[in-house]
């Protein structure tokens, strides 16, 4: 899936029941996390991190985890994480048993040798892909970086500024018209 692509229209099943995406997302930011399978150690820490930090990552952001397991196995995994960490995983975890979502987001799976797709995809409130990262199985993503990315993209979308390297919330942005001149713009 390339940047600028719309969120695919697809029916899926999560531990909360059936969903129709992107319709059930609405007009908010969405993050889709692909995991190679349930109960993997790194992915389990990611689900727990999202559960702990989802409100801090960005209000008005919906999270979805995708794994090739059955919805029943996904529910076992979510309960296991809650029991182990004391953190309730409330975001939708989708059982992609037919790999329909995986084939859309990772069209080269199989041809490229990528047997267990793992990645992170960020969609803006219009449900257009604005960022993606393909991740190794051995290293989890950073919730701090994900939060920074979503806030930075939100600010850049306002059209007033561009976001410099290593930017942090509260720091100066670059004025879009004069990209070399810092301008302070606060987060919405």
């Amino acid at each position: 899936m390339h940047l600028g692509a719309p969120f695919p229209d697809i029916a899926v099943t999560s531990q909360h029941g059936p969903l129709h995406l992107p319709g059930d997302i609405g007009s908010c930011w969405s993050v889709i996390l692909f995991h190679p399978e349930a109960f993997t150690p790194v992915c389990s820490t990611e689900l727990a991190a999202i559960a702990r930090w989802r409100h801090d990552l960005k209000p008005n952001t919906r999270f979805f985890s995708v794994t090739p397991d059955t919805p029943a196995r996904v529910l076992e995994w979510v309960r296991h994480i809650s029991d182990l960490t004391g953190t309730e995983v409330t975001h939708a975890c989708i059982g992609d048993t037919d790999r329909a979502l995986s084939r859309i987001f990772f069209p080269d799976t199989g041809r490229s040798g990528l047997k267990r797709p793992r990645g992170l995809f960020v969609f803006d409130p219009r449900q257009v892909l604005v960022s993606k990262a393909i991740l190794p199985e051995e290293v989890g993503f950073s919730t701090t970086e994900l939060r920074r990315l979503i806030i930075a993209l939100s600010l850049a979308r306002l059209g007033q500024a561009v976001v410099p390297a290593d930017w942090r919330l509260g720091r100066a942005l670059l004025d879009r018209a004069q990209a070399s001149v810092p301008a302070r713009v606060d987060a919405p």
Side-chain angles (χ1 to χ4, degrees), residues 112-124:
S112 66
L114 182 66
K115 294 184 175 110
R116 295 164 47 108
R118 187 165 137 59
L120 181 148
F121 296 80
V122 179
F123 290 84
D124 71 8

Side-chain angles (χ1 to χ4, degrees), residues 7-12 19-23 96 98 100-102 104-105:
F7 198 108
D9 185 40
I10 191 165
V12 296
L19 294 167
H20 189 267
L21 303 176
D96 188 31
D98 63 0
L101 270 175
S102 295
I104 293 168
F105 282 83

Side-chain angles (χ1 to χ4, degrees), residues 22-130:
D24 287 339
I25 296 173
S27 59
C28 61
W29 290 85
S30 58
V31 177
I32 315 302
L33 306 160
F34 280 84
H35 309 287
E37 66 183 316
F39 293 95
T40 57
V42 171
C43 298
S44 295
T45 65
E46 290 174 339
L47 261 65
I50 289 294
R52 280 192 307 273
W53 299 108
R54 68 186 168 85
H55 298 296
D56 292 335
L57 287 171
K58 175 91 174 104
N60 196 28
T61 302
R62 302 237 0 233
F63 293 89
F64 300 87
S65 289
V66 180
T67 178
D69 298 280
T70 64
R73 179 120 169 108
V74 169
L75 184 56
E76 287 175 39
W77 185 30
V78 165
R79 287 179 177 155
H80 174 75
I81 292 167
S82 294
D83 291 345
L84 197 63
T85 66
T87 304
E88 185 180 3
V89 175
T90 58
H91 72 275
C93 297
I94 297 166
D96 188 31
T97 53
D98 63 0
R99 298 191 185 246
L101 270 175
S102 295
R103 282 193 303 276
I104 293 168
F105 282 83
F106 300 92
D108 292 331
T109 301
R111 290 192 305 263
S112 66
L114 182 66
K115 294 184 175 110
R116 295 164 47 108
R118 187 165 137 59
L120 181 148
F121 296 80
V122 179
F123 290 84
D124 71 8
R126 297 169 301 143
Q127 296 313 311
V128 172
L129 183 62
V130 293

